[in-house]
């Protein structure tokens, strides 16, 4: 997997540079707008949703309820990955990406228009959960489609770089979501923000539908899928085949190793952008706008670090870069929270910036790494499942677990221990994947060599 070629093996025609860049740009924009829609919920969950949709006697209880709703979206992500993965491996990457973008646009706009508990009672949190599930299905379907559009169009030796443009959608989504919330807060009073200002970032998400139409009408299917489609068609003449069945029967271990390797990244990321936002504003009495500004600036640094680490992985190998990032997260988990606990904006920025650097080092090569774990005819299914399993057990539960740990232990060191535990799982998974890669690339001994070794 470390040395897998980035070319389009066996393709009859090679896309020109201009078309590759158009596809990569469309994939990056799809990722950015999808993640923007997804992240505005996390910010709103930390700031307002608890009071508006889950009124309770304790502020902690309201935050836990809103973070539980946040986590529900992650539980739905594997479902989106399975459905889109199966159909994406059978019918194409592009249609599933368009469907995912459309579903996300509808769900996000629906949240922006949803009445609160005070208006419609228990129906409000129920509908919020339903819309969050739709968001989860959409983002679960989107990542594989956008990632494969980019990596399967990648020229020789640049799969990591092309895959990283999709990964850039995450920091772009965070920066945009934070910026819109900052503007909404700046131009409204506290009461107006709680009443309607928080809805503006959700309603902007409607623009995603325009991008879905553009991809539907202007972007072609990937050459690797077209080649795999021909091979799959020949195979289906003799037997019924299913990418999901193939994964479950012969590659489930690889899926879980991929998920185990990435859970620490997604968990730490959501701790930084949602858990720390709640912790610093509610427990440390830090100003909301200042904390959002720090988060925005830290996310901007990822726009440089993610493609840089991806480009390096094209030269020295995915696993080496990926593992270095995971080890860095483990080593920084305790210092990060010691700095955050000072209540200083400066040390908050330092602590989260260093953590973000290690996250970026992992995230840059991750798309290419996951793509190279599976063959084209089952790649959408396998890569999506690995990513979404990590999202469920890492990202979706992380802010919820963080609040529980803080309430139970009254110390942020318990959150550091949680991150370190996930880091150990990641490093073990990465080691197994590296060993498998070495075994797969080792030359098979000839009969003469076998007899010689036995003698």
């Amino acid at each position: 997997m470390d040395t897998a070629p980035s070319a389009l093996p066996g393709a009859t025609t090679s896309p020109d540079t201009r078309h590759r860049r158009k596809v990569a740009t469309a994939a990056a924009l799809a990722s950015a707008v999808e993640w923007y829609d997804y992240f505005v919920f996390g910010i709103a969950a930390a700031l307002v949703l608890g009071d508006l949709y889950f009124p309770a006697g304790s502020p902690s209880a309201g935050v836990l309820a809103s973070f539980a709703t946040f986590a529900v979206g992650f539980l739905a992500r594997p479902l989106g990955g399975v459905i889109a993965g199966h159909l994406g491996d059978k019918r194409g990457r592009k249609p599933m990406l368009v469907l995912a973008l459309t579903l996300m646009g509808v769900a996000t706009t629906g949240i922006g228009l949803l009445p609160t508990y005070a208006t419609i009672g228990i129906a409000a949190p129920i509908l919020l959960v339903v819309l969050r599930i739709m968001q989860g299905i959409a983002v679960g379907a989107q990542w594989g489609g956008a990632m494969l559009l980019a990596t399967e169009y990648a020229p020789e030796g640049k799969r990591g770089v092309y895959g990283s443009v999709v990964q850039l959608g995450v920091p772009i989504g965070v920066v945009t979501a934070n910026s819109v919330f900052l503007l909404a807060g700046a131009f409204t009073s506290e009461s107006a923000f709680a009443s309607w200002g928080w809805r503006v970032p959700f309603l902007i998400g409607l623009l995603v539908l325009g991008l879905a139409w553009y991809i539907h009408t202007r972007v072609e299917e990937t050459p690797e899928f077209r080649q795999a489609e021909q091979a799959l068609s020949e195979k289906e003449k003799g037997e019924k085949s299913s990418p999901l069945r193939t994964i479950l029967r012969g590659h489930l271990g690889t899926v879980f190793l991929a998920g185990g390797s990435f859970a620490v990244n997604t968990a730490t990321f959501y701790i930084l952008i949602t858990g720390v936002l709640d912790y610093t504003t509610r427990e440390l009495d830090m100003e909301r706008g200042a904390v959002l500004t720090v988060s925005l600036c830290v996310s901007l640094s990822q726009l440089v670090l993610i493609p840089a680490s991806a480009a390096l992985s094209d030269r020295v190998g995915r696993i080496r870069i990926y593992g270095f990032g995971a080890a860095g997260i483990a080593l920084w988990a305790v210092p990060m929270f010691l700095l955050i606990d000072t209540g200083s904006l400066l040390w908050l920025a330092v602590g989260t910036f260093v953590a973000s650097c290690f996250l970026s080092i992992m995230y840059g090569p991750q798309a290419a790494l996951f793509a190279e774990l599976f063959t084209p005819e089952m790649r959408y299914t396998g890569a999506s499942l690995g990513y979404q399993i990590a999202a469920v057990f890492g990202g979706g539960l992380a802010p919820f677990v963080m609040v529980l740990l803080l309430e139970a232990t009254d110390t942020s060191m318990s959150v550091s221990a949680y991150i370190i535990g996930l880091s150990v799982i990641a490093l073990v998974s990465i080691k197994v994947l590296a060993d498998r890669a070495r075994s797969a690339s080792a030359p098979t001994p000839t009969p003469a060599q076998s007899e010689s070794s036995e003698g």
Side-chain angles (χ1 to χ4, degrees), residues 131-177:
L131 291 168
R132 182 59 178 169
I133 289 172
M134 290 173 61
Q135 279 194 319
I137 293 173
V139 82
Q142 172 272 144
W143 181 80
M147 179 270 290
L148 292 179
L149 270 184
T151 58
E152 291 186 347
Y153 265 106
E156 181 74 35
K158 293 187 177 180
R159 178 173 273 168
V161 171
Y162 270 64
S164 73
V165 302
V166 174
Q167 308 297 73
L168 287 175
V170 170
I172 291 173
V174 172
V175 168
T176 308

Side-chain angles (χ1 to χ4, degrees), residues 110-318:
I111 294 172
L113 298 173
L114 185 65
T116 64
Y117 187 94
T119 304
I120 61 174
I122 193 64
I126 292 174
L127 289 172
L128 184 66
V129 169
V130 171
L131 291 168
R132 182 59 178 169
I133 289 172
M134 290 173 61
Q135 279 194 319
I137 293 173
V139 82
Q142 172 272 144
W143 181 80
M147 179 270 290
L148 292 179
L149 270 184
T151 58
E152 291 186 347
Y153 265 106
E156 181 74 35
K158 293 187 177 180
R159 178 173 273 168
V161 171
Y162 270 64
S164 73
V165 302
V166 174
Q167 308 297 73
L168 287 175
V170 170
I172 291 173
V174 172
V175 168
T176 308
N178 279 329
S179 299
V180 174
F181 265 100
L182 280 170
L183 289 173
F187 288 98
T188 59
S189 64
E190 284 290 330
S191 59
F193 180 83
S195 175
W196 61 267
W198 67 272
R199 297 181 182 274
V200 174
F202 288 91
L203 298 177
I204 290 175
L206 187 63
L207 297 176
V208 73
L209 298 178
L211 180 60
W213 178 251
Y214 174 84
I215 293 175
H216 174 67
T217 57
R218 300 295 182 89
V219 174
E220 297 177 5
E221 191 54 78
T222 72
E224 280 197 31
F225 172 75
R226 290 198 299 265
Q227 185 183 16
E229 185 180 35
Q230 292 175 0
L232 191 62
S233 178
E234 291 297 323
K235 185 176 180 181
E236 285 179 336
K237 291 178 181 178
E239 59 176 291
K240 291 184 178 180
S241 62
S242 162
L244 179 60
R245 188 183 300 118
T246 301
I247 288 290
L248 294 178
R249 287 181 176 178
H251 303 274
L252 195 57
T254 302
V255 169
F256 281 114
L257 286 170
S261 75
F262 193 63
V264 66
N265 186 291
T266 188
T268 306
F269 174 78
Y270 283 103
I271 284 173
L272 291 180
I273 69 164
T274 57
V276 168
L277 176 59
D278 167 65
Y279 177 59
T280 54
T281 55
R282 184 167 57 87
E283 299 289 343
L284 302 182
D285 294 322
M286 298 177 73
E287 200 269 323
R288 179 186 68 204
V291 175
L292 282 172
T293 301
V294 168
S295 178
L296 186 153
C297 293
V298 168
S299 296
L300 282 173
S301 69
Q302 293 184 310
L303 298 177
V304 176
L305 293 169
I306 287 175
S309 64
L312 188 59
S313 78
D314 281 330
R315 298 175 63 87
V316 305
R318 319 275 183 235

Side-chain angles (χ1 to χ4, degrees), residues 260-261 263-265 267-268 323 325-333 362 416-430:
S261 75
V264 66
N265 186 291
T268 306
I329 293 172
L331 294 174
W332 189 246
M362 280 191 78
S416 297
Y418 170 59
I419 293 173
I420 292 170
L422 291 175
S423 298
V424 171
I425 295 173
L427 291 168
V428 171
S429 299
I430 292 168

Side-chain angles (χ1 to χ4, degrees), residues 45-130:
L47 297 178
V48 296
L49 295 186
D51 292 335
L52 295 176
Y53 291 91
F54 305 97
S58 163
S60 296
V63 171
L64 280 171
S66 64
F67 277 163
T69 306
F70 178 69
V72 165
F74 287 82
L75 295 175
R77 281 170 62 168
L79 177 60
V82 168
I83 295 172
H86 177 77
L87 295 176
D89 282 330
K90 300 272 283 185
R91 302 290 178 243
R93 299 13 177 155
K94 188 182 80 169
M96 293 303 101
L97 179 57
V98 171
L99 180 62
L101 289 169
T102 303
L103 183 62
M104 179 62 85
V106 171
T108 304
T109 304
I111 294 172
L113 298 173
L114 185 65
T116 64
Y117 187 94
T119 304
I120 61 174
I122 193 64
I126 292 174
L127 289 172
L128 184 66
V129 169
V130 171

